[in-house]
Structures are given as C-alpha cells and as structure tokens.
Amino acid sequence: MNVTATNHDEVSALLTVTLDKSDYKDKVEKQLINYAKNAQVPGFRKGKVPLSMVRKQYEAGIAFEEINKQVSEALNSYVNDNKLRLVGQPVPQPVDDLNPNAEQLSVQFEVGYEPEFTVDLAKYEAPHYKVEASEKEIGQSIENMQKRFAEQIPQEEIGDDTTVSLEISQVVEEDAEGAHNHPPKNITIDATKKEAFQLVKDLKMDGSVKVSKADLESNEELAKELGFSKEEVEHLHHDQIEVKVKDFFGLKLAELNQELFDKVYGEGTIRSEEELKEKVKTELDEYFQQNADVHFVNQILAQITEKEEVKLPEEFLVKWLVFSNENVKTEEQAKEILEAEKNQLKYQILEGKLMTDNDIKLEYADVLAQAEQLVRNQLAIYGIHHLPDEEVQKYAVEMLKDQEQVRQISAEVGMAKLKDVIMEKASKVETVISHDEFLEEVKK
C-alpha cells in the first residue's frame, strides 16, 4: 500500500492511493471462510456450504468493503503523517473500472489544505484600555442589589417609579394553518427600559398592546428591551406580538445594612457601605477590563486578518462544494458561495493557525470551568453571588448535556486561551479611560 502526492500548487494536490492485491487478499479470504461457517443455505447443513458458492456470492462485496477501509486508513495516515490541515474533505476522482481481482489498483483524491505560514504577533500593536468604574456605575449596581431584595408596594397605575411584569406572546393569525405552540416570554421592566416602558405606561392591569414584526425589525432597542435578539425577531413565526401587563408595583428598596450585605455576598463578607462600594468597584473594574481585553484582542485579530496573506485552494474548494452539496449544481454557483465565504474562511484558518502554533489545546476541565463561570454570571445578574460550588457545577454539567452548548462553550474556551496568548505577545498602547469613553471607542 502506498500514497503519492502530485502537487497542483502549495495548497492543493492529487493524492493517489495504490493497493496491491496482497494488502487485502488474506483479510477477504478470512471473512469468506467465516461466512461459509455461518451461512444457512437451503440444501446444506450449517457450516457445510461450499466455499466456492460463498465466494461467488459475497467475494466482490467483501473485497470492495475492505478496499474502501484500507484506502480510507491510508489517506488519513498520509494526512496526519504530513501534518496537512485540510480545507474541506478529500474529493474522490471517478474510477471507470475498479477490479478487486487485479494485482494492483489505484484510487485518487483531490485535496486542499491550508498554506504554511507563521504570524509574528509581536509586530502587531493596538490601544489597550484600562477601564475604571465611575461612582454612577457603582451606585447603579448597588441600587440593583437593593431592588432585588426590595419590598413590593401595590400601585393604582403605572408611574415613573413602577416595575412592570409583562407577558409577550406571538399573535396567531385566524387563517393560520396547523398547530402553533409558541410559549410566551415573561419579562420585567422599569423606566430605564425607555422604549418598552413608553409602550405600556398607559395600560391598566391585564391591558395589552400589539407590536408588529416590522416594528421590532426597525427598532432594535425596543426588541432588545422586550427580550428579543435580532435573530429571534427574524425567526418569529407570525406578523405580530402581544405585550400584556400581568402585574405592576412600586419598590421599597432594601436598606443598605448588614442583612442586605449578607444576602448578597454571604454572612460576614461585607461589613460596611464602604466595603460594599469597594467590592462592587472591584467587580465592575474586572468585568469592564475583561471587555477591554477582548476589544484589544479583536483589534489585533482584525489587523492580522487584513494584513496576513492566506492563500486558499480555491479551485479545489469549487470542486468540493459541487461534490459535497447536492444543492450546488454548477461551478458558477460554487464560485459565488466561495466568494461570499472567503473572508470568513481565511479568518478561521488564521485563528486555527494561531492556536496550533501556540500549542493551544482544549480539555474537558476547561470547558466545565467555563460553563460554571457562565452559570455564575447568569446568577449574578439576579444578585445571587454565593451559591455553593457544588450547586454551580450541577447546573454547569446539565448545561453541557446540550451538544450545541458544548460546541459554543468550547469555542469560547479556545478563544479565551488565544486571547491570553495575544495579550502576552502583541504590543499594547496603554490608556486609562472611563467606561462611557470605552463604549464610545467600541462603537467606532
């Protein structure tokens, strides 16, 4: 068995896998003997079927199966031994007559792979912001804690200090066919959610208002405040949603005392308002800095994507798209798809190369730790800061039963490790700014 390569260029080749009959003959013969031992054919006792009869009926199928297996193994070994990072999958070339009884046979595959290159991170430079929380942001965070443990005060009507609970449902048209089961969303808003609050502020208990899908598409802020991402709006099944007031009330904020400190951070962790402010500032600074580090990394990656030359095996990719996608009928269609996806493909190759060159590997423990952190972040939104580690891990393990979550979290872990490498090796221009200033920078 042998594999040879005929290079078209530095990123594509024709691989030829050559098998001698001796490579698979003995294994085929062994399987035929096992068939003969177990075959049940009318007129013959079990195990007494003539080998010639079994050979006539089964030899070709067994031989082709063994040939396919050995060709696949040889191809994979060649790719691994030569450290080829394939783009797409090998495309088999048509074979006019594959004769399993020939003394030698060959199968050919077109392959495309990533180019050989290196990225010198040290030559890339971007602003790295040190973002500090303001007194306003610290105060807002503490007020959110007070709201979480606030006493609800009944109100006659919705006012500027009112918290409103909403139920949001899709409106099924009268002539809609089939079953429609779309669970409603339940959200809580106040006057800080300006667009949503304006929508319902004149409603009474159980009052409702309808919003069109078109309005949600044109007003992303309203959609966001009502709990819809841009993608969720696009995938709404119906043309309208109904926003219904389920409850509303005022809030008597929880007092800033030891009882509140213990509820939020655990008994005895915080003992004064001053300690609380310091703790909140530290948490906000860490959160803001994480965002600033991500912004720095994204700037570096954008520069790398723009400046690094990445040669793609374009001719191969056209063939692969036609071969692998039944909806792509012509090379012209494949070229259009490739042109649309080219930049994203280059980015993926660059990202993968950076991870390979910097020996970045993903371990289950890393994925679990990231899932646990996501759980903590979600709990923190609701003011829960001291759930026992074993409870957090239980939620995280449950989250990782979803394969899509595993894929997404694994990507986050890989990017986090790559971020650490870029933070270490790329050049930084250090700048201290406020969070508001940082948000303006991000918008640019």
Side-chain angles (χ1 to χ4, degrees):
M1 182 163 49
N2 186 39
V3 181
T4 57
T6 304
N7 291 330
H8 300 314
D9 52 34
E10 63 268 38
V11 289
S12 63
L14 179 69
L15 300 185
T16 302
V17 182
T18 303
L19 296 181
D20 294 327
K21 189 174 181 180
S22 59
D23 292 325
Y24 55 87
K25 179 181 176 181
D26 290 346
K27 292 184 178 180
V28 172
E29 193 68 21
K30 184 178 179 180
Q31 287 197 56
L32 285 171
I33 292 170
N34 286 334
Y35 267 60
K37 288 179 180 179
N38 297 289
Q40 294 183 348
V41 177
F44 297 93
R45 286 182 295 166
K46 183 178 180 181
K48 298 299 182 179
V49 180
L51 184 59
S52 60
M53 182 182 291
V54 173
R55 187 186 306 280
K56 183 177 181 180
Q57 185 172 355
Y58 296 108
E59 183 177 26
I62 293 173
F64 281 123
E65 184 178 343
E66 184 62 31
I67 289 167
N68 284 335
K69 178 182 176 184
Q70 292 198 19
V71 166
S72 179
E73 290 174 352
L75 197 62
N76 289 335
S77 295
Y78 182 88
V79 169
N80 292 331
D81 292 345
N82 290 275
K83 297 181 172 57
L84 299 182
R85 291 174 59 87
L86 296 185
V87 181
Q89 297 297 323
V91 176
Q93 298 304 286
V95 178
D96 293 333
D97 181 23
L98 190 64
N99 181 5
N101 291 315
E103 291 302 316
Q104 190 178 75
L105 54 85
S106 296
V107 184
Q108 295 183 315
F109 296 86
E110 292 281 359
V111 294
Y113 42 87
E114 298 177 9
E116 283 296 326
F117 65 96
T118 57
V119 178
D120 181 8
L121 287 170
K123 75 179 184 181
Y124 289 98
E125 179 181 276
H128 179 242
Y129 299 109
K130 179 174 173 55
V131 185
E132 295 186 347
S134 66
E135 288 295 325
K136 177 183 176 182
E137 289 160 338
I138 295 168
Q140 185 62 57
S141 183
I142 291 174
E143 183 178 319
N144 289 341
M145 294 178 188
Q146 292 176 279
K147 285 181 178 179
R148 169 161 175 73
F149 297 99
E151 177 186 350
Q152 294 184 7
I153 307 298
Q155 292 183 326
E156 295 296 323
E157 59 184 22
I158 296 174
D160 290 341
D161 62 344
T162 301
T163 297
V164 187
S165 296
L166 301 174
E167 180 183 84
I168 303 170
S169 308
Q170 293 193 53
V171 179
V172 180
E173 295 83 0
E174 291 184 2
D175 59 350
E177 298 180 354
H180 299 274
N181 180 24
H182 310 298
K185 285 178 176 286
N186 291 284
I187 66 168
T188 301
I189 65 168
D190 58 24
T192 61
K193 303 286 177 64
K194 296 180 181 179
E195 298 283 343
F197 195 79
Q198 183 68 25
L199 187 70
V200 302
K201 68 183 184 64
D202 294 326
L203 297 178
K204 304 297 182 183
M205 194 72 76
D206 294 323
S208 66
V209 61
K210 291 179 180 177
V211 182
S212 71
K213 180 178 178 179
D215 286 341
L216 293 175
E217 289 174 332
S218 63
N219 189 340
E220 289 187 23
E221 187 61 28
L222 173 61
K224 180 180 177 182
E225 291 176 0
L226 292 177
F228 292 96
S229 67
K230 183 177 181 180
E231 291 74 20
E232 286 177 317
V233 171
E234 290 175 354
H235 290 93
L236 286 172
H237 290 78
H238 304 283
D239 293 333
Q240 287 185 315
I241 62 169
E242 182 180 40
V243 181
K244 185 175 183 179
V245 175
K246 299 299 291 182
D247 194 10
F248 61 84
F249 45 83
L251 292 176
K252 180 182 179 182
L253 298 183
E255 294 184 19
L256 287 175
N257 55 26
Q258 193 62 48
E259 181 181 0
L260 178 62
F261 305 157
D262 291 347
K263 284 180 179 178
V264 175
Y265 288 105
E267 187 173 350
T269 303
I270 302 296
R271 296 188 175 278
S272 68
E273 287 188 37
E274 192 60 37
E275 286 185 15
L276 177 65
K277 289 181 179 179
E278 291 176 4
K279 178 69 172 177
V280 170
K281 184 180 188 308
T282 298
E283 291 177 339
L284 288 175
D285 285 349
E286 288 177 355
Y287 175 70
F288 293 162
Q289 196 57 54
Q290 288 174 8
N291 291 337
D293 291 348
V294 169
H295 180 64
F296 170 77
V297 169
N298 287 341
Q299 289 181 92
I300 296 296
L301 287 173
Q303 290 181 36
I304 291 172
T305 304
E306 179 183 354
K307 295 179 181 179
E308 296 288 342
E309 290 292 332
V310 179
K311 181 176 175 60
L312 297 177
E314 296 189 23
E315 289 187 16
F316 163 78
L317 286 170
V318 169
K319 296 176 184 177
W320 175 67
L321 285 168
V322 174
F323 170 77
S324 62
N325 191 330
E326 62 182 15
N327 294 320
V328 180
K329 305 296 185 184
T330 67
E331 288 193 357
E332 287 304 315
Q333 285 179 283
K335 287 178 181 178
E336 289 178 9
I337 294 171
L338 178 59
E339 191 61 34
E341 300 292 334
K342 191 182 295 185
N343 288 338
Q344 180 63 25
L345 184 54
K346 286 182 178 180
Y347 178 85
Q348 290 172 356
I349 290 174
L350 282 164
E351 185 180 306
K353 182 64 173 173
L354 285 168
M355 293 182 72
T356 300
D357 286 353
N358 290 284
D359 198 28
I360 295 174
K361 296 182 175 64
L362 299 183
E363 307 288 348
Y364 176 76
D366 299 324
V367 177
L368 178 61
Q370 177 67 8
E372 290 174 356
Q373 187 57 51
L374 289 174
V375 170
R376 290 190 179 93
N377 291 346
Q378 290 169 1
L379 293 172
I381 292 173
Y382 299 101
I384 303 173
H385 294 266
H386 57 281
L387 197 69
D389 289 345
E390 57 270 21
E391 287 295 312
V392 171
Q393 187 175 96
K394 183 173 72 174
Y395 285 120
V397 169
E398 190 66 27
M399 181 185 294
L400 293 177
K401 290 180 180 178
D402 183 338
Q403 287 304 307
E404 178 58 26
Q405 289 276 25
V406 172
R407 185 199 63 76
Q408 184 175 333
I409 293 172
S410 296
E412 290 174 1
V413 170
M415 180 52 70
K417 291 190 173 190
L418 179 57
K419 184 197 82 170
D420 291 341
V421 170
I422 293 174
M423 289 291 296
E424 176 187 350
K425 295 185 176 181
S427 300
K428 307 181 188 71
V429 179
E430 301 286 0
T431 308
V432 178
I433 61 175
S434 70
H435 187 233
D436 286 342
E437 290 171 330
F438 172 69
L439 293 178
E440 290 301 316
E441 285 294 328
V442 171
K443 291 177 183 178
K444 292 180 180 178

